[in-house]
Every structure is written in C-alpha cells, then in structure tokens.
Amino acid sequence: SDVHGDPFYGTEGQQCSQNTSVTSRNKFGTMGCDPPFALMESAVEAGAKLEGAEFLVFTGDFTRHDQSNLPDAYSTVTQIIANISDVIANGFPELLQDGQLCLGALGNDCSVKDYDLNITTGEAQNPWIQNVAMNALVAGRVMSEQTSEQYSYGGFFEERFGGLTVLSLDTIIYSVSHVPDPGGHLPPDPFGQFVWLRARLQAAA
C-alpha cells in the first residue's frame, strides 16, 4: 500500500524539494521524498523470499504526490500504475500464474489531480478507471479482463482466493476533498456501489 512511486526521483522533476545532490545518492529514497521504483523493487524482492503466501492484496496509491505537476500527467500516472503493477507481477510469478494477485484499489493520488474522479453513474464506463484497467492493470497481467469489465464502471470489484472473497470499493468520491465538486450533494449511491455491496454480502450470508 501507498508506494507513491516517483519516476523523477533524483532529478529536478522529483516530487520533493530536497536537493538532488542528496536524493541522487540515495538509491532507495530519502526521508521526506516520494521514493524511486527501486524501493518497491527491494520490498517486493524481500517479500518474495517469505514462504507460504497464498495471495497478495495491494490497497492503492501507486503514484507520487503532486501528480498534477507531472509532465503529461494523464500518461505518466497511467505509466506509474503500470510500472508498479509490473514490479509486483514480476516479483511474485507464482501468485501471478495462479491468479492470486489483487490489485486495482486506487488512492487519491492515482488520478491526474489529487482526489479527482468524475462520477459517471449513468455511463457504461468511467473513462479514467477504464484507462487504468486496460492500459495498466490488464496490460500488466494483474487484473483479468473479466474483472476489468466490472471495475471499469466505477472502480469497485470482487476477487476470490480459495474460500476468501475480497470486495474492493472506490472511496475517493466520499472524501471531503473529492473533485470535481458534485454541487454540494453526492448522489445517493454513486456508481451503485452500496447496492452492489449489499447484494454481495447477502449472497455470502
């Protein structure tokens, strides 16, 4: 969770204000700065050495803070999500092969602007979430096309691991910081998430 990977770490384009003469010397990151991918790669390598893992759940915030100042934020944020997904997929090949990876939860920084997500309940797909699904998660082999069909609508989805079912909701839209402002009042059930959640819980009862 909360990798906040910064592909520009150690350069003038990095997220933090720390001098690059300092950050460029610290391969795995610097206190107060969003880290390079090398830190995630190291963490995954260490995690992969642990025995007995049956599945892996990643709970969001792939992307660095201050993402709106990235060059071509749309493409760069998408690519960061894809890169972090690749690191996880390559680090846990057996879990990947067995379909035991659960990625897709997006944090507030996993969009072009902080807490940004259009509420598109009446549409077949949400453009940003569908972009993430197809160009990062499905392309990175960490989400099936079947799961992406539901996910692309509103960012919520279901994964099963043996006798365990994981239900993931998109909660950005409920934040007081959410943009764009829905005009003072959220719809009663954006994306129909609560209807879906209630149905899944009733099915499991």
Side-chain angles (χ1 to χ4, degrees), residues 8 19 21 33 35 47 70 79 92 102 117 123 174 176:
F8 297 99
N19 195 296
S21 65
C33 298
L70 287 165
Q79 191 58 54
F92 296 94
C102 182
L117 183 66
E123 300 178 19
Y174 306 115
V176 295

Side-chain angles (χ1 to χ4, degrees), residues 157-200:
F157 63 102
E158 174 181 359
E159 294 282 16
R160 296 184 180 182
F161 305 103
L164 179 67
T165 298
V166 175
L167 304 178
S168 179
L169 299 179
D170 188 338
T171 58
I172 295 171
I173 51 179
Y174 306 115
S175 171
V176 295
S177 301
H178 170 249
V179 292
D181 188 337
H185 300 282
L186 277 174
D189 186 10
F191 299 117
Q193 288 192 108
F194 292 140
V195 169
W196 173 80
L197 176 60
R198 188 175 295 109
R200 300 315 302 141

Side-chain angles (χ1 to χ4, degrees), residues 34-110:
D34 284 344
F37 295 148
L39 180 62
M40 183 61 177
E41 291 167 352
S42 177
V44 166
E45 182 180 358
K49 293 177 182 177
L50 300 175
E51 297 181 358
E54 296 181 18
F55 61 92
L56 181 150
V57 178
F58 183 83
T59 57
D61 269 334
F62 296 79
T63 310
R64 63 168 250 183
H65 298 90
D66 199 27
Q67 72 274 29
S68 60
N69 289 324
L70 287 165
D72 189 4
Y74 187 100
S75 296
T76 306
V77 170
T78 303
Q79 191 58 54
I80 292 172
I81 296 172
N83 288 347
I84 295 298
S85 298
D86 281 343
V87 169
I88 294 172
N90 293 333
F92 296 94
E94 292 182 1
L95 295 182
L96 175 67
Q97 181 177 348
D98 294 340
Q100 301 298 292
L101 297 179
C102 182
L103 282 78
L106 300 179
N108 60 286
D109 293 301
C110 297

Side-chain angles (χ1 to χ4, degrees), residues 62 74 77-78 81-82 85 104 106 110-111 126-140 143 151-152:
F62 296 79
Y74 187 100
V77 170
T78 303
I81 296 172
S85 298
L106 300 179
C110 297
S111 56
N126 179 280
W128 173 251
I129 298 174
Q130 198 240 358
N131 162 65
V132 170
M134 300 313 298
N135 295 317
L137 303 176
V138 173
M143 178 178 283
Y151 176 81
S152 294

